[in-house]
Amino acid sequence: MKRIIPFLILSLALCVNVFAQDETFRKNIMIVFDASGSMGESLSRQDTVVKLVAAKSALKQVLQNTDPNTNVGLFVFGNVRNDYPYPIGPVDRARLYSAIDEINYGGGTPLGEYMQKAANKLLEQRAKQFGYGSYKLLVVTDGEAGDYSLMAQVAPEVLKRGVTLDVIGVGMTQAHQLAKMSSSYRAANDSKALRAA
């Protein structure tokens, strides 16, 4: 019996290690990227870098440091041919950067609609992972939602479902309405602050 117990402990430790590396336990980040018309404006009077250029650069920098065992997905609204250019999955930086490079600004801000789409994809992924892993919805936006009532319904529902909701407000003069509804809110009113956020 004394010999069996250490063997069982070792076997259990090996199983835990195997499961930890399994795709079932992956982190998952779904990004909603605002490329509406106002993203063609400068970050501020002091920082004349175009919001879209700064946001794309900052996003690439963040992805460069992302854990390779993280699943990432990208939704974009604006002047784009494909609003879901990178379906959630392992990070292929070349393909992901290419999708980011193709983003152009234009149009309105259907934030609620795209938060809902992104949250649905995260929940589908969670079902595939049998509920394991972590799930984050990251919203990068420079303006208030054109569909505010939908956004106000979606945000608390996202949190209720156990999904973290992080928001970065790009070059905004005041905190976004989502600041009060999200897990975290970061203001990025210049290039340095955007990279830090």
Side-chain angles (χ1 to χ4, degrees), residues 78-91:
N79 183 16
V80 292
R81 290 193 302 263
N82 178 6
D83 67 355
Y84 191 32
Y86 195 88
I88 191 163
V91 176

Side-chain angles (χ1 to χ4, degrees), residues 2 13 18 113 127 153 183:
K2 288 181 180 179
V18 168
E113 176 188 347
Q153 290 173 8
S183 306

Side-chain angles (χ1 to χ4, degrees), residues 183-194:
S183 306
S184 73
Y185 177 81
R186 293 174 179 84
N189 297 321
D190 56 56
S191 302
K192 184 178 178 181
L194 181 54

